[in-house]
Amino acid sequence: MRSRIEEIAKDRGVSLYRLAKDARITTAAIYKWRKHGIERAQLGVMARVADALGCKVDDLFE
């Protein structure tokens, strides 16, 4: 499943570094999702990412 995390972060003016800090994840995880998709990402992690971006978890997936 393709990730929309980078697109949403860019639209909101949030750097991937800032997003990673706010969501308590590594920037490497975000880059991995960009390259390989987010099929294996844990729901709790996706909830923190969505919260940091001010969107719903569903919005993170295409």
Side-chain angles (χ1 to χ4, degrees):
M1 195 174 294
R2 187 170 131 5
S3 166
R4 294 189 59 234
I5 294 171
E6 189 173 10
E7 173 187 340
I8 295 169
K10 184 178 179 181
D11 288 347
R12 287 172 167 67
V14 176
S15 72
L16 296 182
Y17 175 77
R18 178 83 253 158
L19 173 60
K21 285 192 71 79
D22 291 348
R24 299 179 321 273
I25 59 174
T26 64
T27 53
I30 295 174
Y31 289 114
K32 184 177 105 180
W33 296 331
R34 176 173 46 169
K35 185 174 181 180
H36 300 291
I38 50 179
E39 287 86 13
R40 296 179 183 219
Q42 294 178 343
L43 184 57
V45 173
M46 290 293 100
R48 290 196 318 258
V49 171
D51 187 51
L53 289 172
C55 66
K56 298 183 292 183
V57 172
D58 292 349
D59 296 335
L60 302 176
F61 304 95
E62 184 171 277

Short mmCIF file of all heavy atoms in Angstrom, two decimals:
data_model
loop_
_atom_site.label_atom_id
_atom_site.label_comp_id
_atom_site.label_asym_id
_atom_site.label_seq_id
_atom_site.Cartn_x
_atom_site.Cartn_y
_atom_site.Cartn_z
N MET A 1 0.85 -1.17 0.00
CA MET A 1 0.00 0.00 0.00
C MET A 1 0.90 1.24 0.00
O MET A 1 1.83 1.33 0.78
CB MET A 1 -0.87 -0.03 1.25
CG MET A 1 -2.02 0.90 1.21
SD MET A 1 -3.10 0.68 2.65
CE MET A 1 -3.73 -0.95 2.39
N ARG A 2 0.62 2.17 -0.87
CA ARG A 2 1.43 3.36 -0.99
C ARG A 2 1.14 4.34 0.15
O ARG A 2 0.01 4.52 0.56
CB ARG A 2 1.15 4.04 -2.33
CG ARG A 2 2.10 5.21 -2.61
CD ARG A 2 1.97 5.69 -4.02
NE ARG A 2 1.82 7.06 -4.37
CZ ARG A 2 1.84 8.15 -3.65
NH1 ARG A 2 1.98 8.08 -2.38
NH2 ARG A 2 1.69 9.36 -4.14
N SER A 3 2.19 4.96 0.63
CA SER A 3 2.09 5.92 1.73
C SER A 3 1.87 7.33 1.20
O SER A 3 2.48 7.74 0.22
CB SER A 3 3.40 5.89 2.53
OG SER A 3 3.48 6.99 3.39
N ARG A 4 1.02 8.08 1.87
CA ARG A 4 0.80 9.49 1.56
C ARG A 4 1.43 10.39 2.63
O ARG A 4 1.22 11.59 2.64
CB ARG A 4 -0.70 9.78 1.48
CG ARG A 4 -1.38 9.08 0.31
CD ARG A 4 -2.81 9.54 0.11
NE ARG A 4 -2.84 10.97 -0.14
CZ ARG A 4 -3.59 11.85 0.57
NH1 ARG A 4 -4.35 11.43 1.54
NH2 ARG A 4 -3.56 13.13 0.29
N ILE A 5 2.23 9.79 3.51
CA ILE A 5 2.80 10.53 4.64
C ILE A 5 3.62 11.73 4.16
O ILE A 5 3.44 12.84 4.64
CB ILE A 5 3.64 9.60 5.53
CG1 ILE A 5 2.73 8.57 6.20
CG2 ILE A 5 4.43 10.39 6.55
CD1 ILE A 5 3.48 7.46 6.92
N GLU A 6 4.51 11.49 3.22
CA GLU A 6 5.37 12.57 2.74
C GLU A 6 4.55 13.69 2.09
O GLU A 6 4.80 14.87 2.34
CB GLU A 6 6.39 12.02 1.75
CG GLU A 6 7.45 13.01 1.36
CD GLU A 6 8.53 12.38 0.51
OE1 GLU A 6 8.38 11.24 0.05
OE2 GLU A 6 9.54 13.06 0.30
N GLU A 7 3.56 13.32 1.31
CA GLU A 7 2.69 14.30 0.65
C GLU A 7 1.92 15.15 1.67
O GLU A 7 1.87 16.38 1.57
CB GLU A 7 1.71 13.54 -0.25
CG GLU A 7 0.64 14.35 -0.89
CD GLU A 7 -0.37 13.48 -1.62
OE1 GLU A 7 -0.07 12.31 -1.94
OE2 GLU A 7 -1.48 13.98 -1.86
N ILE A 8 1.36 14.51 2.67
CA ILE A 8 0.60 15.23 3.70
C ILE A 8 1.52 16.13 4.51
O ILE A 8 1.18 17.29 4.80
CB ILE A 8 -0.16 14.23 4.61
CG1 ILE A 8 -1.22 13.49 3.79
CG2 ILE A 8 -0.80 14.96 5.79
CD1 ILE A 8 -1.84 12.30 4.53
N ALA A 9 2.68 15.62 4.86
CA ALA A 9 3.64 16.43 5.63
C ALA A 9 4.04 17.67 4.83
O ALA A 9 4.07 18.79 5.38
CB ALA A 9 4.88 15.60 5.98
N LYS A 10 4.30 17.49 3.56
CA LYS A 10 4.69 18.63 2.71
C LYS A 10 3.56 19.65 2.63
O LYS A 10 3.80 20.86 2.75
CB LYS A 10 5.06 18.13 1.31
CG LYS A 10 5.56 19.22 0.40
CD LYS A 10 5.96 18.68 -0.95
CE LYS A 10 6.44 19.81 -1.84
NZ LYS A 10 6.82 19.30 -3.17
N ASP A 11 2.33 19.19 2.45
CA ASP A 11 1.17 20.09 2.39
C ASP A 11 1.01 20.89 3.67
O ASP A 11 0.55 22.03 3.65
CB ASP A 11 -0.12 19.31 2.13
CG ASP A 11 -0.23 18.77 0.71
OD1 ASP A 11 0.56 19.20 -0.16
OD2 ASP A 11 -1.10 17.91 0.48
N ARG A 12 1.39 20.30 4.81
CA ARG A 12 1.24 20.97 6.10
C ARG A 12 2.51 21.72 6.53
O ARG A 12 2.56 22.29 7.61
CB ARG A 12 0.85 19.95 7.17
CG ARG A 12 -0.60 19.49 7.01
CD ARG A 12 -0.92 18.34 7.93
NE ARG A 12 -2.32 18.04 8.06
CZ ARG A 12 -3.12 17.56 7.12
NH1 ARG A 12 -2.66 17.38 5.91
NH2 ARG A 12 -4.39 17.29 7.35
N GLY A 13 3.55 21.67 5.68
CA GLY A 13 4.78 22.37 5.99
C GLY A 13 5.59 21.73 7.11
O GLY A 13 6.32 22.41 7.82
N VAL A 14 5.46 20.42 7.24
CA VAL A 14 6.16 19.68 8.29
C VAL A 14 7.29 18.88 7.65
O VAL A 14 7.06 18.10 6.72
CB VAL A 14 5.19 18.71 9.03
CG1 VAL A 14 5.92 17.88 10.06
CG2 VAL A 14 4.04 19.48 9.65
N SER A 15 8.51 19.05 8.15
CA SER A 15 9.62 18.26 7.62
C SER A 15 9.50 16.83 8.11
O SER A 15 8.87 16.55 9.15
CB SER A 15 10.96 18.86 8.07
OG SER A 15 11.16 18.62 9.46
N LEU A 16 10.10 15.91 7.37
CA LEU A 16 10.05 14.52 7.79
C LEU A 16 10.82 14.32 9.10
O LEU A 16 10.44 13.49 9.92
CB LEU A 16 10.61 13.61 6.69
CG LEU A 16 9.80 13.61 5.40
CD1 LEU A 16 10.41 12.64 4.39
CD2 LEU A 16 8.34 13.28 5.64
N TYR A 17 11.86 15.10 9.31
CA TYR A 17 12.59 15.04 10.58
C TYR A 17 11.68 15.46 11.74
O TYR A 17 11.60 14.79 12.76
CB TYR A 17 13.81 15.95 10.50
CG TYR A 17 14.55 16.04 11.82
CD1 TYR A 17 15.38 15.00 12.24
CD2 TYR A 17 14.41 17.15 12.65
CE1 TYR A 17 16.05 15.07 13.46
CE2 TYR A 17 15.08 17.23 13.86
CZ TYR A 17 15.89 16.19 14.26
OH TYR A 17 16.54 16.26 15.46
N ARG A 18 10.96 16.57 11.58
CA ARG A 18 10.05 17.06 12.62
C ARG A 18 8.93 16.05 12.86
O ARG A 18 8.53 15.78 14.00
CB ARG A 18 9.46 18.40 12.18
CG ARG A 18 8.46 18.99 13.16
CD ARG A 18 9.18 19.72 14.27
NE ARG A 18 9.09 18.95 15.49
CZ ARG A 18 9.91 19.04 16.51
NH1 ARG A 18 10.91 19.89 16.48
NH2 ARG A 18 9.77 18.31 17.58
N LEU A 19 8.39 15.49 11.78
CA LEU A 19 7.34 14.48 11.90
C LEU A 19 7.84 13.28 12.70
O LEU A 19 7.15 12.81 13.59
CB LEU A 19 6.87 14.04 10.51
CG LEU A 19 5.89 12.87 10.49
CD1 LEU A 19 4.62 13.19 11.26
CD2 LEU A 19 5.58 12.48 9.05
N ALA A 20 9.03 12.82 12.38
CA ALA A 20 9.59 11.67 13.10
C ALA A 20 9.72 11.97 14.59
O ALA A 20 9.36 11.14 15.42
CB ALA A 20 10.94 11.30 12.50
N LYS A 21 10.22 13.15 14.92
CA LYS A 21 10.35 13.52 16.34
C LYS A 21 8.99 13.60 17.02
O LYS A 21 8.80 13.08 18.11
CB LYS A 21 11.08 14.85 16.46
CG LYS A 21 12.57 14.74 16.20
CD LYS A 21 13.32 15.97 16.59
CE LYS A 21 13.42 16.18 18.03
NZ LYS A 21 14.37 15.47 18.82
N ASP A 22 8.02 14.24 16.36
CA ASP A 22 6.68 14.40 16.95
C ASP A 22 5.96 13.06 17.13
O ASP A 22 5.20 12.87 18.07
CB ASP A 22 5.82 15.33 16.10
CG ASP A 22 6.29 16.78 16.14
OD1 ASP A 22 7.13 17.12 17.00
OD2 ASP A 22 5.82 17.57 15.30
N ALA A 23 6.19 12.13 16.18
CA ALA A 23 5.52 10.83 16.22
C ALA A 23 6.34 9.78 16.98
O ALA A 23 5.92 8.62 17.09
CB ALA A 23 5.23 10.34 14.81
N ARG A 24 7.52 10.17 17.46
CA ARG A 24 8.40 9.27 18.21
C ARG A 24 8.78 8.03 17.39
O ARG A 24 8.70 6.89 17.86
CB ARG A 24 7.77 8.88 19.54
CG ARG A 24 7.52 10.06 20.44
CD ARG A 24 6.87 9.72 21.78
NE ARG A 24 5.83 8.70 21.79
CZ ARG A 24 4.54 8.92 21.56
NH1 ARG A 24 4.12 10.14 21.30
NH2 ARG A 24 3.66 7.94 21.63
N ILE A 25 9.19 8.28 16.14
CA ILE A 25 9.69 7.23 15.26
C ILE A 25 10.99 7.72 14.63
O ILE A 25 11.35 8.88 14.80
CB ILE A 25 8.67 6.86 14.15
CG1 ILE A 25 8.34 8.09 13.29
CG2 ILE A 25 7.42 6.25 14.74
CD1 ILE A 25 7.47 7.79 12.10
N THR A 26 11.66 6.86 13.90
CA THR A 26 12.89 7.27 13.24
C THR A 26 12.59 7.80 11.84
O THR A 26 11.60 7.40 11.22
CB THR A 26 13.89 6.10 13.11
OG1 THR A 26 13.32 5.10 12.26
CG2 THR A 26 14.21 5.50 14.48
N THR A 27 13.45 8.67 11.36
CA THR A 27 13.30 9.13 9.98
C THR A 27 13.52 7.96 9.03
O THR A 27 12.92 7.91 7.96
CB THR A 27 14.26 10.28 9.64
OG1 THR A 27 15.59 9.89 9.98
CG2 THR A 27 13.90 11.55 10.38
N ALA A 28 14.34 7.00 9.43
CA ALA A 28 14.58 5.82 8.60
C ALA A 28 13.28 5.06 8.34
O ALA A 28 13.06 4.54 7.25
CB ALA A 28 15.61 4.90 9.25
N ALA A 29 12.40 5.01 9.33
CA ALA A 29 11.11 4.33 9.16
C ALA A 29 10.29 5.04 8.10
O ALA A 29 9.68 4.39 7.24
CB ALA A 29 10.35 4.29 10.48
N ILE A 30 10.27 6.35 8.12
CA ILE A 30 9.50 7.11 7.13
C ILE A 30 10.06 6.86 5.73
O ILE A 30 9.30 6.63 4.78
CB ILE A 30 9.50 8.61 7.47
CG1 ILE A 30 8.77 8.85 8.79
CG2 ILE A 30 8.85 9.42 6.34
CD1 ILE A 30 8.84 10.27 9.29
N TYR A 31 11.37 6.89 5.59
CA TYR A 31 11.98 6.65 4.28
C TYR A 31 11.72 5.23 3.80
O TYR A 31 11.52 4.98 2.62
CB TYR A 31 13.47 6.98 4.31
CG TYR A 31 13.73 8.45 4.43
CD1 TYR A 31 14.32 8.99 5.55
CD2 TYR A 31 13.35 9.33 3.41
CE1 TYR A 31 14.54 10.36 5.67
CE2 TYR A 31 13.57 10.70 3.52
CZ TYR A 31 14.17 11.20 4.65
OH TYR A 31 14.38 12.55 4.75
N LYS A 32 11.71 4.28 4.73
CA LYS A 32 11.40 2.89 4.37
C LYS A 32 9.97 2.78 3.85
O LYS A 32 9.72 2.11 2.85
CB LYS A 32 11.60 1.99 5.59
CG LYS A 32 11.40 0.51 5.30
CD LYS A 32 11.68 -0.31 6.53
CE LYS A 32 10.36 -0.76 7.08
NZ LYS A 32 10.45 -1.58 8.28
N TRP A 33 9.04 3.45 4.52
CA TRP A 33 7.65 3.41 4.06
C TRP A 33 7.52 4.04 2.69
O TRP A 33 6.73 3.59 1.87
CB TRP A 33 6.74 4.12 5.05
CG TRP A 33 6.68 3.48 6.40
CD1 TRP A 33 6.85 2.16 6.70
CD2 TRP A 33 6.43 4.13 7.63
NE1 TRP A 33 6.73 1.95 8.04
CE2 TRP A 33 6.47 3.15 8.65
CE3 TRP A 33 6.18 5.45 7.99
CZ2 TRP A 33 6.25 3.44 9.98
CZ3 TRP A 33 5.97 5.74 9.33
CH2 TRP A 33 6.01 4.75 10.30
N ARG A 34 8.29 5.10 2.44
CA ARG A 34 8.22 5.77 1.14
C ARG A 34 8.69 4.81 0.05
O ARG A 34 8.10 4.76 -1.03
CB ARG A 34 9.08 7.02 1.15
CG ARG A 34 9.12 7.69 -0.21
CD ARG A 34 9.79 9.01 -0.25
NE ARG A 34 11.06 9.04 0.46
CZ ARG A 34 11.91 10.05 0.36
NH1 ARG A 34 11.61 11.10 -0.35
NH2 ARG A 34 13.04 10.02 1.02
N LYS A 35 9.73 4.07 0.34
CA LYS A 35 10.31 3.19 -0.67
C LYS A 35 9.53 1.88 -0.83
O LYS A 35 9.33 1.40 -1.94
CB LYS A 35 11.75 2.88 -0.31
CG LYS A 35 12.49 2.07 -1.34
CD LYS A 35 13.95 1.92 -1.00
CE LYS A 35 14.66 1.13 -2.08
NZ LYS A 35 16.07 0.97 -1.79
N HIS A 36 9.07 1.30 0.28
CA HIS A 36 8.48 -0.04 0.25
C HIS A 36 6.99 -0.10 0.56
O HIS A 36 6.40 -1.17 0.53
CB HIS A 36 9.21 -0.95 1.24
CG HIS A 36 10.66 -1.11 0.96
ND1 HIS A 36 11.15 -1.78 -0.13
CD2 HIS A 36 11.75 -0.64 1.62
CE1 HIS A 36 12.46 -1.74 -0.13
NE2 HIS A 36 12.86 -1.04 0.93
N GLY A 37 6.38 1.02 0.89
CA GLY A 37 4.98 1.00 1.28
C GLY A 37 4.84 0.76 2.78
O GLY A 37 5.83 0.53 3.47
N ILE A 38 3.61 0.79 3.26
CA ILE A 38 3.41 0.71 4.71
C ILE A 38 2.51 -0.46 5.12
O ILE A 38 1.81 -0.39 6.10
CB ILE A 38 2.87 2.04 5.27
CG1 ILE A 38 1.68 2.55 4.48
CG2 ILE A 38 3.95 3.08 5.33
CD1 ILE A 38 1.10 3.84 5.00
N GLU A 39 2.60 -1.55 4.38
CA GLU A 39 1.77 -2.70 4.72
C GLU A 39 2.05 -3.26 6.11
O GLU A 39 1.16 -3.71 6.80
CB GLU A 39 1.97 -3.84 3.70
CG GLU A 39 1.35 -3.59 2.36
CD GLU A 39 2.28 -2.80 1.44
OE1 GLU A 39 3.48 -2.67 1.74
OE2 GLU A 39 1.79 -2.30 0.43
N ARG A 40 3.30 -3.23 6.54
CA ARG A 40 3.68 -3.87 7.79
C ARG A 40 3.76 -2.90 8.97
O ARG A 40 4.16 -3.29 10.06
CB ARG A 40 5.01 -4.58 7.62
CG ARG A 40 4.93 -5.71 6.64
CD ARG A 40 6.26 -6.37 6.49
NE ARG A 40 6.16 -7.42 5.49
CZ ARG A 40 6.75 -8.57 5.57
NH1 ARG A 40 7.52 -8.84 6.61
NH2 ARG A 40 6.60 -9.46 4.64
N ALA A 41 3.42 -1.68 8.76
CA ALA A 41 3.49 -0.69 9.84
C ALA A 41 2.44 -1.02 10.91
O ALA A 41 1.34 -1.45 10.60
CB ALA A 41 3.27 0.70 9.29
N GLN A 42 2.80 -0.80 12.14
CA GLN A 42 1.89 -1.09 13.25
C GLN A 42 0.85 0.04 13.38
O GLN A 42 1.17 1.22 13.18
CB GLN A 42 2.66 -1.22 14.54
CG GLN A 42 3.57 -2.41 14.57
CD GLN A 42 4.36 -2.48 15.86
OE1 GLN A 42 4.47 -1.51 16.59
NE2 GLN A 42 4.90 -3.66 16.14
N LEU A 43 -0.35 -0.33 13.73
CA LEU A 43 -1.44 0.63 13.84
C LEU A 43 -1.13 1.72 14.85
O LEU A 43 -1.41 2.89 14.62
CB LEU A 43 -2.74 -0.08 14.20
CG LEU A 43 -3.99 0.79 14.26
CD1 LEU A 43 -4.22 1.49 12.93
CD2 LEU A 43 -5.19 -0.03 14.65
N GLY A 44 -0.54 1.37 15.97
CA GLY A 44 -0.19 2.38 16.99
C GLY A 44 0.78 3.41 16.46
O GLY A 44 0.67 4.60 16.75
N VAL A 45 1.73 2.97 15.65
CA VAL A 45 2.70 3.89 15.05
C VAL A 45 1.99 4.79 14.05
O VAL A 45 2.20 6.01 14.03
CB VAL A 45 3.85 3.10 14.37
CG1 VAL A 45 4.76 4.04 13.61
CG2 VAL A 45 4.62 2.31 15.40
N MET A 46 1.13 4.22 13.24
CA MET A 46 0.39 5.01 12.25
C MET A 46 -0.53 6.02 12.95
O MET A 46 -0.71 7.14 12.47
CB MET A 46 -0.44 4.12 11.32
CG MET A 46 0.38 3.29 10.36
SD MET A 46 1.24 4.30 9.14
CE MET A 46 2.87 4.38 9.82
N ALA A 47 -1.08 5.65 14.10
CA ALA A 47 -1.92 6.58 14.86
C ALA A 47 -1.10 7.77 15.34
O ALA A 47 -1.57 8.91 15.31
CB ALA A 47 -2.56 5.85 16.04
N ARG A 48 0.14 7.52 15.79
CA ARG A 48 1.01 8.63 16.23
C ARG A 48 1.39 9.53 15.05
O ARG A 48 1.42 10.75 15.20
CB ARG A 48 2.27 8.08 16.90
CG ARG A 48 2.00 7.45 18.24
CD ARG A 48 3.24 7.25 19.09
NE ARG A 48 4.41 6.77 18.39
CZ ARG A 48 4.86 5.51 18.42
NH1 ARG A 48 4.20 4.59 19.12
NH2 ARG A 48 5.96 5.18 17.79
N VAL A 49 1.65 8.93 13.90
CA VAL A 49 1.98 9.72 12.70
C VAL A 49 0.78 10.58 12.30
O VAL A 49 0.91 11.77 12.03
CB VAL A 49 2.42 8.80 11.53
CG1 VAL A 49 2.54 9.58 10.23
CG2 VAL A 49 3.73 8.11 11.86
N ALA A 50 -0.40 9.98 12.27
CA ALA A 50 -1.61 10.72 11.91
C ALA A 50 -1.86 11.85 12.90
O ALA A 50 -2.20 12.97 12.49
CB ALA A 50 -2.81 9.77 11.86
N ASP A 51 -1.67 11.58 14.18
CA ASP A 51 -1.86 12.61 15.20
C ASP A 51 -0.86 13.76 14.98
O ASP A 51 -1.25 14.93 15.07
CB ASP A 51 -1.68 11.99 16.59
CG ASP A 51 -2.02 12.97 17.69
OD1 ASP A 51 -3.12 13.57 17.64
OD2 ASP A 51 -1.20 13.13 18.61
N ALA A 52 0.38 13.43 14.70
CA ALA A 52 1.40 14.46 14.47
C ALA A 52 1.09 15.30 13.24
O ALA A 52 1.44 16.48 13.18
CB ALA A 52 2.78 13.82 14.34
N LEU A 53 0.41 14.70 12.25
CA LEU A 53 0.06 15.42 11.03
C LEU A 53 -1.33 16.06 11.10
O LEU A 53 -1.73 16.78 10.19
CB LEU A 53 0.12 14.48 9.82
CG LEU A 53 1.52 14.03 9.39
CD1 LEU A 53 1.43 12.97 8.32
CD2 LEU A 53 2.32 15.25 8.91
N GLY A 54 -2.08 15.74 12.14
CA GLY A 54 -3.42 16.30 12.28
C GLY A 54 -4.39 15.74 11.26
O GLY A 54 -5.22 16.46 10.70
N CYS A 55 -4.28 14.43 10.99
CA CYS A 55 -5.19 13.78 10.04
C CYS A 55 -5.63 12.43 10.61
O CYS A 55 -5.23 12.04 11.69
CB CYS A 55 -4.51 13.62 8.69
SG CYS A 55 -3.10 12.48 8.67
N LYS A 56 -6.45 11.73 9.85
CA LYS A 56 -6.91 10.40 10.25
C LYS A 56 -5.92 9.35 9.72
O LYS A 56 -5.24 9.59 8.72
CB LYS A 56 -8.30 10.10 9.68
CG LYS A 56 -9.38 11.04 10.18
CD LYS A 56 -10.73 10.66 9.64
CE LYS A 56 -10.73 10.92 8.15
NZ LYS A 56 -12.00 10.66 7.50
N VAL A 57 -5.87 8.21 10.36
CA VAL A 57 -4.99 7.13 9.91
C VAL A 57 -5.30 6.75 8.46
O VAL A 57 -4.38 6.54 7.66
CB VAL A 57 -5.10 5.90 10.84
CG1 VAL A 57 -4.34 4.70 10.26
CG2 VAL A 57 -4.59 6.22 12.23
N ASP A 58 -6.56 6.71 8.10
CA ASP A 58 -6.96 6.36 6.73
C ASP A 58 -6.34 7.29 5.69
O ASP A 58 -6.08 6.88 4.56
CB ASP A 58 -8.48 6.39 6.57
CG ASP A 58 -9.17 5.30 7.34
OD1 ASP A 58 -8.49 4.40 7.84
OD2 ASP A 58 -10.42 5.35 7.43
N ASP A 59 -6.12 8.55 6.07
CA ASP A 59 -5.55 9.52 5.14
C ASP A 59 -4.11 9.19 4.76
O ASP A 59 -3.61 9.67 3.74
CB ASP A 59 -5.59 10.93 5.74
CG ASP A 59 -6.99 11.43 5.98
OD1 ASP A 59 -7.92 10.95 5.29
OD2 ASP A 59 -7.17 12.29 6.86
N LEU A 60 -3.43 8.39 5.56
CA LEU A 60 -2.02 8.08 5.33
C LEU A 60 -1.80 7.07 4.22
O LEU A 60 -0.71 6.91 3.73
CB LEU A 60 -1.38 7.54 6.62
CG LEU A 60 -1.45 8.46 7.84
CD1 LEU A 60 -0.85 7.74 9.04
CD2 LEU A 60 -0.74 9.77 7.58
N PHE A 61 -2.86 6.39 3.81
CA PHE A 61 -2.78 5.33 2.81
C PHE A 61 -3.42 5.77 1.51
O PHE A 61 -4.42 6.47 1.51
CB PHE A 61 -3.48 4.06 3.29
CG PHE A 61 -2.98 3.56 4.60
CD1 PHE A 61 -3.63 3.90 5.78
CD2 PHE A 61 -1.87 2.76 4.67
CE1 PHE A 61 -3.18 3.44 7.00
CE2 PHE A 61 -1.41 2.28 5.89
CZ PHE A 61 -2.06 2.62 7.06
N GLU A 62 -2.85 5.28 0.42
CA GLU A 62 -3.48 5.54 -0.88
C GLU A 62 -4.04 4.27 -1.42
O GLU A 62 -3.54 3.19 -1.25
CB GLU A 62 -2.45 6.10 -1.85
CG GLU A 62 -3.06 6.48 -3.17
CD GLU A 62 -2.07 7.22 -4.02
OE1 GLU A 62 -1.93 8.42 -3.82
OE2 GLU A 62 -1.41 6.54 -4.84
#
